[in-house]
Amino acid sequence: MRSFLLPALLAAALWPGAAAADHPSGATEADMRELQADLALLDDTMADLPAGHARAEEFRQRADDLRDDLTWLKVQIRRHRQDRREGTGATTAEVDALRATIADLQRDLDDSLDRRLTGQATLPQGTEVVVRLEQSLSSRTARREDRVNASVVDTVTWEGRTAIPAGTRVRGIVTNVEPAERPAKGGQLDLAFDSIWLDDRTRTDLRTRVVSLRPGIDKSETVQRGGLGAVLGGVLGSIIGGTEGAVIGAILGVGGGIVATKGEDVSLPVGTLVTLQLDRPLVVRP
């Protein structure tokens, strides 16, 4: 089985008009983070594939074809950055095509391993969902009712089946903000994540509270994991990295407010990992 994405990408590169409409902005850092999340999930699933599985050879061949496509993209991004040009060095079309290929393989793996959700599931109150912030937040600059974008980091399962895949979009809102007042009063930031896109098209209401914070992944984590994610590892890390500095803030009581120490503002860089807890059951349908 040969890769169908790579020839298309090469054709786009050789035909001047093919990708021109996608420049100069091209794929964003958020697009790259979503690609990274897709690869991390696929790597985890591939690692669980039994050696004697009837379709093991087919899946590994498809993974090898995907590795070729990722290598091509890696070279393109690296050359772009070596030339000190702005942007990521990849077009939106290229990243979307890669994500579609990954999604096809992920779907077939899930079906083959009997992991796909086939009926309605109800995640109980108290279920935890870890999300990664797609933007920085500060009690100094945030305003009440500002929107907050995030994506699910770890797949949430229900009875051994995938209920919420990694990479699922989640949206929240700033419900209250208080800037720091030196030297005695620390800043406070209250967040409520209220929307989730389970099928990437349909918005579902969500009711959660923040229960913990921690810094995002280190730039080298993708490389350390191995697998397909390691192909883009260093070059992708140089674009999206982990967090832009330390997380400043701690959870205040059961309400989920985030507070900083005296005189400091709450500072949550891009990539900060936020653990949410469901305040009411969430119905998930395939």
Side-chain angles (χ1 to χ4, degrees):
M1 185 181 299
R2 57 191 294 268
S3 170
F4 295 100
L5 175 59
L6 185 57
L9 293 176
L10 288 172
L14 293 173
W15 180 38
D22 204 36
H23 286 291
S25 58
T28 65
E29 293 181 14
D31 294 331
M32 292 301 189
R33 280 192 291 271
E34 290 175 351
L35 174 60
Q36 186 183 48
D38 291 348
L39 288 170
L41 177 60
L42 183 61
D43 280 342
D44 288 344
T45 307
M46 288 292 296
D48 291 339
L49 184 67
H53 191 279
R55 299 179 65 185
E57 183 59 32
E58 172 203 338
F59 290 142
R60 292 197 177 97
Q61 182 60 59
R62 288 170 66 180
D64 286 343
D65 291 340
L66 179 57
R67 183 175 286 105
D68 289 340
D69 297 335
L70 291 167
T71 300
W72 188 91
L73 186 67
K74 172 183 176 180
V75 171
Q76 178 173 303
I77 293 171
R78 178 171 291 164
R79 287 175 177 171
H80 181 90
R81 296 184 71 78
Q82 286 174 344
D83 291 341
R84 300 183 182 279
R85 287 181 284 171
E86 293 183 1
T88 62
T91 69
T92 305
E94 289 164 346
V95 173
D96 286 349
L98 273 170
R99 294 193 67 204
T101 300
I102 294 167
D104 286 344
L105 179 53
Q106 181 69 54
R107 182 169 50 252
D108 289 348
L109 280 164
D110 285 341
D111 285 342
S112 184
L113 295 172
D114 195 26
R115 287 183 174 178
R116 286 177 64 82
L117 192 66
T118 55
Q120 178 175 296
T122 301
L123 298 177
Q125 179 179 342
T127 299
E128 293 190 347
V129 182
V130 181
V131 302
R132 177 181 292 113
L133 293 182
E134 304 294 349
Q135 64 199 81
S136 59
L137 291 170
S138 169
S139 59
R140 182 174 58 85
T141 57
R143 297 290 180 269
R144 188 175 296 182
E145 297 188 1
D146 279 355
R147 280 296 178 182
V148 181
N149 295 309
S151 59
V152 174
V153 176
D154 300 320
T155 296
V156 179
T157 60
W158 180 82
E159 295 186 351
R161 298 177 184 272
T162 298
I164 304 178
T168 299
R169 290 190 299 132
V170 177
R171 192 175 69 176
I173 190 172
V174 176
T175 59
N176 186 51
V177 59
E178 297 178 17
E181 295 179 7
R182 296 183 182 275
K185 184 178 181 293
Q188 180 168 338
L189 190 64
D190 295 353
L191 305 176
F193 287 84
D194 56 9
S195 304
I196 186 168
W197 280 261
L198 294 169
D199 64 359
D200 214 26
R201 294 182 301 277
T202 307
R203 174 185 174 277
T204 301
D205 289 336
L206 192 64
R207 183 175 294 174
T208 67
R209 62 188 178 92
V210 178
V211 294
S212 70
L213 302 167
R214 67 182 190 272
I217 62 170
D218 182 82
K219 292 182 180 182
S220 62
E221 183 172 313
T222 305
V223 179
Q224 293 169 355
R225 288 170 59 96
L228 293 166
V231 177
L232 288 177
V235 67
L236 203 58
S238 67
I239 295 172
I240 63 176
T243 58
E244 300 170 344
V247 174
I248 300 176
I251 305 303
L252 175 65
V254 296
I258 305 165
V259 297
T261 56
K262 292 181 179 180
E264 297 287 342
D265 274 297
V266 174
S267 179
L268 306 180
V270 173
T272 299
L273 301 183
V274 182
T275 301
L276 310 176
Q277 192 174 82
L278 296 184
D279 273 346
R280 69 180 181 189
L282 176 65
V283 176
V284 178
R285 297 178 178 86

